Amino acid sequence: MRERRGSTVSRDRAREIERLARALRGIPVRTEPHYRLSYGFDATGTRGSCGGVAFPGDLRDLGRLVRESSRRRIPLFMRGAGSGFSGGSIPLDNGLVVSTEKLSRVLHFDARREEVEVECGLVNKELQDFLEPLGFFYPPDPASLNFSTIGGNIAENAGGPRAFKYGVTRRYVRSLTWVTAEGIAVERDPPRGPTAALVGAEGTLGAIYAARLGVVPLPAAYRTSLLEVSAGWGALSLAGSFIAAGLAPSVLEYIDSKTMRCVGEYCCFGGLARDAHYLFIEIDGSREEADEQQRLLESLAERAGVVIRAASTEAERELLWKVRRSVSPSLARRGVTKVNEDVSLPLGKLEEGARFVHELAHELDLDCYVFGHAGDGNMHVNVMTDRRRTEEMRRVESFVERLFARTVELGGTLSGEHGIGMTKSPYLGMIFTPAELALARGIKRCMDPEGILNPGKYFSREGAAA
Ligand SMILES: Cc1cc2nc3c(=O)[nH]c(=O)nc-3n(C[C@H](O)[C@H](O)[C@H](O)COP(=O)(O)OP(=O)(O)OC[C@H]3O[C@@H](n4cnc5c(N)ncnc54)[C@H](O)[C@@H]3O)c2cc1C
């Protein structure tokens, strides 16, 4: 019975999308099975249900697409690269995916004002490659920068290794051009009021077309080091004590011993101590500043009895970055399903949080790895599992619930940067009061009265703002 109703819904939706495609002459809308399959996922590996994929080519297209879909009440799912880790871009109920692939131009660059205007589908790395020869960089650098898009980064308020010194995406968004749920184009400079709410709204409040972004002159010097803290636990507390002693790195990353072993095997990086935990630290600034800070780091490391590998050439720096960037791909080989949580904790509680995670994984007999942007309080907790093993998945669920509960007890929050999407929306009641959730729901209703923008995400799951 359920199946029949389901297939009636999909047939009706397929006809609606066909009619929409005819009305949208000039905007490609693809409904072949291979499109519906490949645009039905994000990095969580969860499959949604996709009725078709539209490819707007400019702001006018995006406006028409949203307006016509809104009139027909066809749900829309904005999608950059689909690299999200919380199900944000996964289409539901045979809705229409709006791919931003064709919106990938750099529109304007102004060196004097230190800003660049880009369309939302531009890949972060392509922006960095555009800026570098001009002597600038765009600080938000998610570890997914080689493939994630600026629109996805803005919608998730993405962070990254450099967030410790430079902050996250919101700090760099100077104006936004976007389309309301009714299909009206808005340009707001600076992004105040409803426009400001779009940063981090995960595609639930509006469709971002373009952004003017602040950029920063490239530092004259970098000093990059990998620290081996072999006393078992203590790497995260040690990092805290370095900061308290005046160290001000741009990057401060933590990699636990188990994760580092995978990375070592993956990129043939030898000489790793078996039970050591690692800190990846980069300092940047003028040559004098960088040298002074590096001297401080080396003396702090020596006093703490920590082994330090400092890059002395650009090739060695590249190798250390390769080690850091290999964390995710090296883990991907450890299991069929990667459950990736990105809780965030006050710096002073990170060590306790990491210990809790390892003890809990041991108790529930799960294969767990911890790393993250330690300077920013972001702790990535990865459980390598297989969603086909039902009993193990029940233990994973229990692990995630207990992880969230402990995180909140320690004064932290459920997501540092991966967003709420589908995976975390059932837990929003852990961090927001019913009054706050009702307020969030009210904002959603005002900005998207028909509920066509990314329905089923953030606001509308059980326990969340439903
Ligand atoms: C290996 C790996 C490493 C990662 N490392 C980091 C990291 O260091 N820091 C970090 O923050 N994240 C990280 N992520 C998560 C992910 O890459 C980020 O959330 C990224 O910002 C998503 O960009 P995307 O283009 O893939 O967006 P998608 O996954 O396609 O979409 C993400 C959300 O944004 C919405 N959206 C996309 N485009 C628009 C638009 N134009 N208008 C409105 N809404 C839109 C979607 O509807 C969805 O809700 C990582 C992911 C992977 C796979």
Side-chain angles (χ1 to χ4, degrees), residues 56-69:
D58 57 24
L59 177 60
R60 200 166 151 265
D61 279 1
L62 188 60
R64 273 173 67 212
L65 171 58
V66 178
R67 200 157 43 248
E68 289 296 329
S69 306

PDB file of all heavy atoms in Angstrom, residues 56-69:
ATOM      1  N   PRO A  56      20.938  26.001 -13.927  1.00  0.00           N
ATOM      2  CA  PRO A  56      20.821  27.413 -14.316  1.00  0.00           C
ATOM      3  C   PRO A  56      22.185  27.960 -14.728  1.00  0.00           C
ATOM      4  O   PRO A  56      23.214  27.520 -14.206  1.00  0.00           O
ATOM      5  CB  PRO A  56      20.314  28.087 -13.038  1.00  0.00           C
ATOM      6  CG  PRO A  56      20.712  27.178 -11.923  1.00  0.00           C
ATOM      7  CD  PRO A  56      20.706  25.790 -12.487  1.00  0.00           C
ATOM      8  N   GLY A  57      22.185  28.934 -15.680  1.00  0.00           N
ATOM      9  CA  GLY A  57      23.457  29.452 -16.190  1.00  0.00           C
ATOM     10  C   GLY A  57      23.751  30.870 -15.755  1.00  0.00           C
ATOM     11  O   GLY A  57      24.859  31.363 -15.973  1.00  0.00           O
ATOM     12  N   ASP A  58      22.753  31.548 -15.174  1.00  0.00           N
ATOM     13  CA  ASP A  58      23.006  32.910 -14.673  1.00  0.00           C
ATOM     14  C   ASP A  58      21.915  33.286 -13.667  1.00  0.00           C
ATOM     15  O   ASP A  58      21.028  32.461 -13.366  1.00  0.00           O
ATOM     16  CB  ASP A  58      23.086  33.928 -15.832  1.00  0.00           C
ATOM     17  CG  ASP A  58      21.837  33.934 -16.702  1.00  0.00           C
ATOM     18  OD1 ASP A  58      20.758  33.525 -16.201  1.00  0.00           O
ATOM     19  OD2 ASP A  58      21.913  34.337 -17.872  1.00  0.00           O
ATOM     20  N   LEU A  59      21.966  34.524 -13.184  1.00  0.00           N
ATOM     21  CA  LEU A  59      21.018  34.952 -12.144  1.00  0.00           C
ATOM     22  C   LEU A  59      19.578  34.914 -12.660  1.00  0.00           C
ATOM     23  O   LEU A  59      18.654  34.524 -11.938  1.00  0.00           O
ATOM     24  CB  LEU A  59      21.384  36.373 -11.670  1.00  0.00           C
ATOM     25  CG  LEU A  59      20.450  37.004 -10.639  1.00  0.00           C
ATOM     26  CD1 LEU A  59      20.383  36.168  -9.356  1.00  0.00           C
ATOM     27  CD2 LEU A  59      20.909  38.429 -10.301  1.00  0.00           C
ATOM     28  N   ARG A  60      19.409  35.305 -13.925  1.00  0.00           N
ATOM     29  CA  ARG A  60      18.055  35.314 -14.494  1.00  0.00           C
ATOM     30  C   ARG A  60      17.481  33.889 -14.502  1.00  0.00           C
ATOM     31  O   ARG A  60      16.342  33.659 -14.114  1.00  0.00           O
ATOM     32  CB  ARG A  60      18.132  35.897 -15.912  1.00  0.00           C
ATOM     33  CG  ARG A  60      16.813  36.387 -16.399  1.00  0.00           C
ATOM     34  CD  ARG A  60      16.917  37.258 -17.633  1.00  0.00           C
ATOM     35  NE  ARG A  60      15.670  37.084 -18.365  1.00  0.00           N
ATOM     36  CZ  ARG A  60      15.506  36.233 -19.354  1.00  0.00           C
ATOM     37  NH1 ARG A  60      16.511  35.492 -19.773  1.00  0.00           N
ATOM     38  NH2 ARG A  60      14.328  36.118 -19.939  1.00  0.00           N
ATOM     39  N   ASP A  61      18.299  32.939 -14.932  1.00  0.00           N
ATOM     40  CA  ASP A  61      17.884  31.523 -14.943  1.00  0.00           C
ATOM     41  C   ASP A  61      17.483  31.073 -13.534  1.00  0.00           C
ATOM     42  O   ASP A  61      16.463  30.406 -13.353  1.00  0.00           O
ATOM     43  CB  ASP A  61      19.051  30.607 -15.350  1.00  0.00           C
ATOM     44  CG  ASP A  61      19.258  30.554 -16.853  1.00  0.00           C
ATOM     45  OD1 ASP A  61      18.516  31.238 -17.577  1.00  0.00           O
ATOM     46  OD2 ASP A  61      20.177  29.822 -17.283  1.00  0.00           O
ATOM     47  N   LEU A  62      18.339  31.434 -12.561  1.00  0.00           N
ATOM     48  CA  LEU A  62      18.080  30.965 -11.192  1.00  0.00           C
ATOM     49  C   LEU A  62      16.752  31.534 -10.696  1.00  0.00           C
ATOM     50  O   LEU A  62      15.933  30.817 -10.098  1.00  0.00           O
ATOM     51  CB  LEU A  62      19.242  31.394 -10.278  1.00  0.00           C
ATOM     52  CG  LEU A  62      19.235  30.828  -8.861  1.00  0.00           C
ATOM     53  CD1 LEU A  62      19.302  29.304  -8.855  1.00  0.00           C
ATOM     54  CD2 LEU A  62      20.420  31.390  -8.047  1.00  0.00           C
ATOM     55  N   GLY A  63      16.509  32.828 -10.985  1.00  0.00           N
ATOM     56  CA  GLY A  63      15.246  33.468 -10.591  1.00  0.00           C
ATOM     57  C   GLY A  63      14.049  32.771 -11.222  1.00  0.00           C
ATOM     58  O   GLY A  63      13.065  32.433 -10.557  1.00  0.00           O
ATOM     59  N   ARG A  64      14.129  32.528 -12.546  1.00  0.00           N
ATOM     60  CA  ARG A  64      13.004  31.870 -13.264  1.00  0.00           C
ATOM     61  C   ARG A  64      12.754  30.479 -12.699  1.00  0.00           C
ATOM     62  O   ARG A  64      11.612  30.070 -12.489  1.00  0.00           O
ATOM     63  CB  ARG A  64      13.360  31.717 -14.745  1.00  0.00           C
ATOM     64  CG  ARG A  64      13.008  32.921 -15.607  1.00  0.00           C
ATOM     65  CD  ARG A  64      13.570  32.722 -16.993  1.00  0.00           C
ATOM     66  NE  ARG A  64      12.928  31.638 -17.722  1.00  0.00           N
ATOM     67  CZ  ARG A  64      13.554  30.863 -18.614  1.00  0.00           C
ATOM     68  NH1 ARG A  64      14.835  31.016 -18.870  1.00  0.00           N
ATOM     69  NH2 ARG A  64      12.891  29.927 -19.249  1.00  0.00           N
ATOM     70  N   LEU A  65      13.853  29.771 -12.472  1.00  0.00           N
ATOM     71  CA  LEU A  65      13.750  28.387 -11.983  1.00  0.00           C
ATOM     72  C   LEU A  65      13.045  28.346 -10.621  1.00  0.00           C
ATOM     73  O   LEU A  65      12.107  27.556 -10.409  1.00  0.00           O
ATOM     74  CB  LEU A  65      15.163  27.808 -11.883  1.00  0.00           C
ATOM     75  CG  LEU A  65      15.369  26.467 -11.220  1.00  0.00           C
ATOM     76  CD1 LEU A  65      14.564  25.382 -11.908  1.00  0.00           C
ATOM     77  CD2 LEU A  65      16.841  26.082 -11.261  1.00  0.00           C
ATOM     78  N   VAL A  66      13.460  29.226  -9.712  1.00  0.00           N
ATOM     79  CA  VAL A  66      12.851  29.201  -8.374  1.00  0.00           C
ATOM     80  C   VAL A  66      11.389  29.662  -8.456  1.00  0.00           C
ATOM     81  O   VAL A  66      10.497  29.066  -7.853  1.00  0.00           O
ATOM     82  CB  VAL A  66      13.664  30.072  -7.366  1.00  0.00           C
ATOM     83  CG1 VAL A  66      13.002  30.075  -6.004  1.00  0.00           C
ATOM     84  CG2 VAL A  66      15.101  29.575  -7.261  1.00  0.00           C
ATOM     85  N   ARG A  67      11.130  30.712  -9.269  1.00  0.00           N
ATOM     86  CA  ARG A  67       9.761  31.243  -9.395  1.00  0.00           C
ATOM     87  C   ARG A  67       8.806  30.173  -9.923  1.00  0.00           C
ATOM     88  O   ARG A  67       7.746  29.923  -9.360  1.00  0.00           O
ATOM     89  CB  ARG A  67       9.790  32.453 -10.341  1.00  0.00           C
ATOM     90  CG  ARG A  67       8.619  33.383 -10.211  1.00  0.00           C
ATOM     91  CD  ARG A  67       8.932  34.789 -10.721  1.00  0.00           C
ATOM     92  NE  ARG A  67       9.675  34.832 -11.968  1.00  0.00           N
ATOM     93  CZ  ARG A  67      10.929  35.266 -12.082  1.00  0.00           C
ATOM     94  NH1 ARG A  67      11.591  35.675 -11.026  1.00  0.00           N
ATOM     95  NH2 ARG A  67      11.532  35.276 -13.256  1.00  0.00           N
ATOM     96  N   GLU A  68       9.212  29.529 -11.014  1.00  0.00           N
ATOM     97  CA  GLU A  68       8.331  28.520 -11.639  1.00  0.00           C
ATOM     98  C   GLU A  68       8.144  27.302 -10.720  1.00  0.00           C
ATOM     99  O   GLU A  68       7.051  26.742 -10.642  1.00  0.00           O
ATOM    100  CB  GLU A  68       8.916  28.061 -12.983  1.00  0.00           C
ATOM    101  CG  GLU A  68       8.841  29.109 -14.085  1.00  0.00           C
ATOM    102  CD  GLU A  68       7.404  29.453 -14.462  1.00  0.00           C
ATOM    103  OE1 GLU A  68       6.526  28.573 -14.362  1.00  0.00           O
ATOM    104  OE2 GLU A  68       7.162  30.620 -14.836  1.00  0.00           O
ATOM    105  N   SER A  69       9.214  26.923 -10.024  1.00  0.00           N
ATOM    106  CA  SER A  69       9.106  25.761  -9.126  1.00  0.00           C
ATOM    107  C   SER A  69       8.203  26.108  -7.950  1.00  0.00           C
ATOM    108  O   SER A  69       7.398  25.288  -7.502  1.00  0.00           O
ATOM    109  CB  SER A  69      10.474  25.346  -8.590  1.00  0.00           C
ATOM    110  OG  SER A  69      11.352  25.146  -9.637  1.00  0.00           O
TER     111      SER A  69
END
